[in-house]
Amino acid sequence: MGFEGIRTLARERLSEVQQLLNHIVLLEPEDAFTPHPAEVKILRGLFYVHLYGALEKSINEAVQNTLKLISSHNIPAKYYELSFGSIAARGKLQAFKTCKLKAYNNNAASIFAVMDSVEISNIDESQFSDALMNVWTNSILEVFHSLGIAGFGVEPRVRTTIDELVENRNKVAHGRESALVVGERHRSIVLREKFSIITTLIDSVITSLEGFYDSRAFLKNGQRAAYL
């Protein structure tokens, strides 16, 4: 799938969240004095679950799509940038992680050897699924760092929004707080701002991954033209 397809799927999920938010707006009292019904508070709490689901799925699909496209070229390991090494040599790193002490030297040497070999790297497109099971800000930054993508930053306001979204989703999903309790805290005008921030973030992540792939930034300069 191309990146435009990933964008389309993300927009479809976000459109569902938008419809829920629009419904909440219709149910909220217009004045500042009328108590908000329990139904409205519950829906506002469930909004966090719905928006988080769109975030997690969209980020996971974008990352998996990037790795799948890179893997489809069957590139020799020696052509990859060293900054992409933890992806290209993941199989060797996993073996090193689980090896016994007596196999330490051989496994350690194999990690460095593979990066200068013509061996085709077996890239697991789902290797970040566990890390992105809870899409905290640091989880996103960790993935970008592992891919070797420099310059992707998250502003403090965006970081706060992402982490608050994950926390509220977990509270509701794991029963630490009810949807009603979580939904008491913010009216729809605040939820709309959070929706806008997450929507912009998702688009930024997809655009950054698309640029990374299209420019073949995961390859050494001398090899990029051959894989365009």
CSV table of all heavy atoms in Angstrom, one decimal, residues 70-103:
chain,number,residue,atom,x,y,z
A,70,ILE,N,10.3,-0.9,2.3
A,70,ILE,CA,11.8,-1.0,2.3
A,70,ILE,C,12.2,-2.5,2.1
A,70,ILE,O,13.1,-2.8,1.3
A,70,ILE,CB,12.4,-0.5,3.6
A,70,ILE,CG1,12.1,1.0,3.7
A,70,ILE,CG2,13.8,-0.8,3.7
A,70,ILE,CD1,12.5,1.6,5.1
A,71,SER,N,11.5,-3.4,2.8
A,71,SER,CA,11.8,-4.8,2.6
A,71,SER,C,11.6,-5.3,1.2
A,71,SER,O,12.3,-6.2,0.8
A,71,SER,CB,11.0,-5.6,3.6
A,71,SER,OG,11.2,-7.0,3.5
A,72,SER,N,10.6,-4.8,0.5
A,72,SER,CA,10.3,-5.3,-0.8
A,72,SER,C,11.4,-5.1,-1.8
A,72,SER,O,11.4,-5.7,-2.9
A,72,SER,CB,9.0,-4.5,-1.3
A,72,SER,OG,9.3,-3.2,-1.6
A,73,HIS,N,12.4,-4.3,-1.5
A,73,HIS,CA,13.5,-4.0,-2.5
A,73,HIS,C,14.6,-5.1,-2.3
A,73,HIS,O,15.5,-5.1,-3.2
A,73,HIS,CB,14.1,-2.6,-2.2
A,73,HIS,CG,13.2,-1.5,-2.6
A,73,HIS,ND1,13.0,-1.2,-3.9
A,73,HIS,CD2,12.5,-0.6,-1.8
A,73,HIS,CE1,12.1,-0.1,-3.9
A,73,HIS,NE2,11.9,0.2,-2.7
A,74,ASN,N,14.5,-5.9,-1.3
A,74,ASN,CA,15.6,-7.0,-1.1
A,74,ASN,C,17.0,-6.4,-1.2
A,74,ASN,O,17.8,-6.8,-2.0
A,74,ASN,CB,15.4,-8.1,-2.1
A,74,ASN,CG,14.1,-8.8,-1.9
A,74,ASN,OD1,13.7,-9.2,-0.8
A,74,ASN,ND2,13.4,-9.1,-3.0
A,75,ILE,N,17.3,-5.5,-0.3
A,75,ILE,CA,18.5,-4.7,-0.4
A,75,ILE,C,19.6,-5.4,0.4
A,75,ILE,O,19.4,-5.8,1.6
A,75,ILE,CB,18.3,-3.3,0.2
A,75,ILE,CG1,17.3,-2.6,-0.7
A,75,ILE,CG2,19.6,-2.5,0.2
A,75,ILE,CD1,16.8,-1.3,-0.1
A,76,PRO,N,20.8,-5.6,-0.1
A,76,PRO,CA,21.9,-6.1,0.7
A,76,PRO,C,22.2,-5.2,1.9
A,76,PRO,O,22.1,-4.0,1.8
A,76,PRO,CB,23.1,-6.1,-0.3
A,76,PRO,CG,22.5,-6.1,-1.6
A,76,PRO,CD,21.2,-5.3,-1.5
A,77,ALA,N,22.5,-5.9,3.0
A,77,ALA,CA,22.7,-5.1,4.3
A,77,ALA,C,23.8,-4.1,4.2
A,77,ALA,O,23.6,-3.0,4.8
A,77,ALA,CB,23.0,-6.1,5.4
A,78,LYS,N,24.8,-4.3,3.4
A,78,LYS,CA,25.9,-3.3,3.4
A,78,LYS,C,25.5,-2.0,2.7
A,78,LYS,O,26.2,-1.0,2.9
A,78,LYS,CB,27.1,-3.9,2.6
A,78,LYS,CG,26.8,-4.2,1.1
A,78,LYS,CD,28.0,-4.9,0.5
A,78,LYS,CE,29.3,-4.2,0.5
A,78,LYS,NZ,30.3,-4.9,-0.2
A,79,TYR,N,24.4,-1.9,2.1
A,79,TYR,CA,23.9,-0.7,1.4
A,79,TYR,C,23.1,0.2,2.4
A,79,TYR,O,22.9,1.4,2.0
A,79,TYR,CB,23.0,-1.0,0.2
A,79,TYR,CG,23.8,-1.7,-0.9
A,79,TYR,CD1,23.1,-2.3,-2.0
A,79,TYR,CD2,25.2,-1.7,-1.0
A,79,TYR,CE1,23.7,-2.9,-3.0
A,79,TYR,CE2,25.8,-2.4,-2.0
A,79,TYR,CZ,25.1,-2.9,-3.1
A,79,TYR,OH,25.7,-3.5,-4.1
A,80,TYR,N,22.7,-0.3,3.5
A,80,TYR,CA,22.0,0.5,4.4
A,80,TYR,C,22.8,1.5,5.2
A,80,TYR,O,24.0,1.2,5.5
A,80,TYR,CB,21.2,-0.4,5.5
A,80,TYR,CG,20.1,-1.1,4.9
A,80,TYR,CD1,20.1,-2.5,4.8
A,80,TYR,CD2,18.9,-0.5,4.4
A,80,TYR,CE1,19.0,-3.2,4.3
A,80,TYR,CE2,17.8,-1.2,3.9
A,80,TYR,CZ,17.9,-2.6,3.9
A,80,TYR,OH,16.8,-3.3,3.4
A,81,GLU,N,22.3,2.6,5.5
A,81,GLU,CA,22.9,3.6,6.4
A,81,GLU,C,23.1,2.9,7.8
A,81,GLU,O,22.3,2.1,8.2
A,81,GLU,CB,22.1,4.8,6.6
A,81,GLU,CG,22.1,5.8,5.4
A,81,GLU,CD,23.4,6.7,5.4
A,81,GLU,OE1,24.3,6.4,6.2
A,81,GLU,OE2,23.4,7.7,4.6
A,82,LEU,N,24.2,3.3,8.4
A,82,LEU,CA,24.5,2.7,9.8
A,82,LEU,C,23.4,3.0,10.7
A,82,LEU,O,23.0,2.3,11.6
A,82,LEU,CB,25.8,3.2,10.3
A,82,LEU,CG,26.3,2.6,11.6
A,82,LEU,CD1,26.5,1.1,11.4
A,82,LEU,CD2,27.7,3.2,12.0
A,83,SER,N,22.8,4.2,10.6
A,83,SER,CA,21.7,4.6,11.4
A,83,SER,C,20.4,3.7,11.3
A,83,SER,O,19.6,3.8,12.2
A,83,SER,CB,21.3,6.1,11.2
A,83,SER,OG,20.9,6.2,9.8
A,84,PHE,N,20.4,3.0,10.2
A,84,PHE,CA,19.3,2.0,10.0
A,84,PHE,C,19.7,0.6,10.5
A,84,PHE,O,18.9,-0.3,10.3
A,84,PHE,CB,18.9,2.0,8.5
A,84,PHE,CG,17.6,1.3,8.2
A,84,PHE,CD1,16.4,1.9,8.5
A,84,PHE,CD2,17.6,0.1,7.6
A,84,PHE,CE1,15.2,1.3,8.2
A,84,PHE,CE2,16.4,-0.5,7.2
A,84,PHE,CZ,15.2,0.1,7.5
A,85,GLY,N,20.9,0.5,11.0
A,85,GLY,CA,21.4,-0.8,11.4
A,85,GLY,C,20.6,-1.6,12.3
A,85,GLY,O,20.6,-2.8,12.2
A,86,SER,N,20.0,-1.0,13.3
A,86,SER,CA,19.2,-1.8,14.3
A,86,SER,C,18.0,-2.4,13.6
A,86,SER,O,17.5,-3.4,14.2
A,86,SER,CB,18.8,-0.9,15.5
A,86,SER,OG,17.8,0.1,15.0
A,87,ILE,N,17.6,-1.9,12.5
A,87,ILE,CA,16.5,-2.5,11.7
A,87,ILE,C,17.0,-3.6,10.9
A,87,ILE,O,16.5,-4.8,10.8
A,87,ILE,CB,15.7,-1.5,10.9
A,87,ILE,CG1,15.3,-0.3,11.7
A,87,ILE,CG2,14.5,-2.1,10.2
A,87,ILE,CD1,14.4,-0.6,12.8
A,88,ALA,N,18.1,-3.3,10.1
A,88,ALA,CA,18.6,-4.3,9.2
A,88,ALA,C,19.2,-5.5,9.8
A,88,ALA,O,19.2,-6.6,9.3
A,88,ALA,CB,19.7,-3.6,8.3
A,89,ALA,N,19.8,-5.3,11.1
A,89,ALA,CA,20.4,-6.4,11.8
A,89,ALA,C,19.6,-6.9,12.9
A,89,ALA,O,20.1,-7.6,13.8
A,89,ALA,CB,21.8,-6.0,12.3
A,90,ARG,N,18.3,-6.7,12.9
A,90,ARG,CA,17.4,-7.1,14.0
A,90,ARG,C,17.5,-8.6,14.4
A,90,ARG,O,17.5,-8.9,15.5
A,90,ARG,CB,16.0,-6.7,13.7
A,90,ARG,CG,15.1,-6.9,14.9
A,90,ARG,CD,13.7,-6.4,14.7
A,90,ARG,NE,12.8,-6.6,15.8
A,90,ARG,CZ,12.7,-5.8,16.9
A,90,ARG,NH1,13.5,-4.8,17.0
A,90,ARG,NH2,11.9,-6.1,17.9
A,91,GLY,N,17.5,-9.4,13.3
A,91,GLY,CA,17.6,-10.8,13.6
A,91,GLY,C,18.8,-11.2,14.4
A,91,GLY,O,18.8,-12.0,15.3
A,92,LYS,N,20.0,-10.6,14.0
A,92,LYS,CA,21.2,-10.9,14.7
A,92,LYS,C,21.2,-10.3,16.1
A,92,LYS,O,21.7,-10.9,17.1
A,92,LYS,CB,22.4,-10.3,13.9
A,92,LYS,CG,22.5,-10.8,12.5
A,92,LYS,CD,23.0,-12.2,12.5
A,92,LYS,CE,23.3,-12.6,11.0
A,92,LYS,NZ,23.6,-14.1,11.0
A,93,LEU,N,20.5,-9.2,16.3
A,93,LEU,CA,20.4,-8.5,17.6
A,93,LEU,C,19.5,-9.4,18.5
A,93,LEU,O,19.8,-9.5,19.7
A,93,LEU,CB,19.8,-7.1,17.5
A,93,LEU,CG,20.8,-6.1,16.9
A,93,LEU,CD1,20.0,-4.8,16.5
A,93,LEU,CD2,21.9,-5.7,17.9
A,94,GLN,N,18.5,-10.0,18.0
A,94,GLN,CA,17.6,-10.8,18.8
A,94,GLN,C,18.4,-12.1,19.2
A,94,GLN,O,18.3,-12.5,20.4
A,94,GLN,CB,16.4,-11.3,17.9
A,94,GLN,CG,15.4,-10.1,17.7
A,94,GLN,CD,14.7,-9.7,18.9
A,94,GLN,OE1,15.2,-8.9,19.7
A,94,GLN,NE2,13.5,-10.2,19.1
A,95,ALA,N,19.2,-12.6,18.3
A,95,ALA,CA,20.0,-13.8,18.7
A,95,ALA,C,21.0,-13.4,19.7
A,95,ALA,O,21.3,-14.2,20.7
A,95,ALA,CB,20.7,-14.4,17.4
A,96,PHE,N,21.6,-12.3,19.6
A,96,PHE,CA,22.6,-11.8,20.6
A,96,PHE,C,21.9,-11.6,22.0
A,96,PHE,O,22.5,-11.9,23.0
A,96,PHE,CB,23.2,-10.5,20.2
A,96,PHE,CG,24.2,-9.9,21.1
A,96,PHE,CD1,25.4,-10.5,21.3
A,96,PHE,CD2,23.9,-8.8,21.8
A,96,PHE,CE1,26.4,-10.0,22.2
A,96,PHE,CE2,24.8,-8.2,22.7
A,96,PHE,CZ,26.0,-8.8,22.9
A,97,LYS,N,20.7,-11.1,22.0
A,97,LYS,CA,20.0,-10.8,23.2
A,97,LYS,C,19.7,-12.1,24.0
A,97,LYS,O,19.7,-12.1,25.2
A,97,LYS,CB,18.7,-10.1,22.9
A,97,LYS,CG,17.8,-9.8,24.1
A,97,LYS,CD,16.5,-9.1,23.6
A,97,LYS,CE,15.6,-8.9,24.8
A,97,LYS,NZ,14.3,-8.3,24.4
A,98,THR,N,19.5,-13.2,23.3
A,98,THR,CA,19.1,-14.4,24.0
A,98,THR,C,20.2,-15.5,24.1
A,98,THR,O,20.0,-16.5,24.6
A,98,THR,CB,17.9,-15.1,23.2
A,98,THR,OG1,18.3,-15.4,21.8
A,98,THR,CG2,16.7,-14.2,23.2
A,99,CYS,N,21.4,-15.1,23.6
A,99,CYS,CA,22.5,-16.1,23.6
A,99,CYS,C,23.1,-16.3,25.0
A,99,CYS,O,23.0,-15.4,25.8
A,99,CYS,CB,23.6,-15.7,22.6
A,99,CYS,SG,24.7,-14.3,23.1
A,100,LYS,N,23.7,-17.4,25.1
A,100,LYS,CA,24.4,-17.7,26.4
A,100,LYS,C,25.8,-17.1,26.4
A,100,LYS,O,26.3,-16.7,25.3
A,100,LYS,CB,24.5,-19.2,26.6
A,100,LYS,CG,23.1,-19.8,26.8
A,100,LYS,CD,23.2,-21.3,27.1
A,100,LYS,CE,21.9,-22.0,27.3
A,100,LYS,NZ,21.9,-23.4,27.6
A,101,LEU,N,26.4,-17.0,27.5
A,101,LEU,CA,27.7,-16.3,27.6
A,101,LEU,C,28.8,-16.9,26.7
A,101,LEU,O,29.6,-16.2,26.1
A,101,LEU,CB,28.2,-16.4,29.1
A,101,LEU,CG,29.5,-15.6,29.3
A,101,LEU,CD1,29.4,-14.2,29.0
A,101,LEU,CD2,29.9,-15.8,30.8
A,102,LYS,N,28.8,-18.2,26.5
A,102,LYS,CA,29.8,-18.9,25.7
A,102,LYS,C,29.6,-18.5,24.2
A,102,LYS,O,30.6,-18.7,23.4
A,102,LYS,CB,29.8,-20.4,25.9
A,102,LYS,CG,28.5,-21.1,25.4
A,102,LYS,CD,28.6,-22.6,25.7
A,102,LYS,CE,27.4,-23.3,25.2
A,102,LYS,NZ,27.5,-24.8,25.5
A,103,ALA,N,28.4,-18.1,23.8
A,103,ALA,CA,28.2,-17.7,22.4
A,103,ALA,C,28.3,-16.2,22.2
A,103,ALA,O,28.0,-15.7,21.1
A,103,ALA,CB,26.8,-18.2,22.0
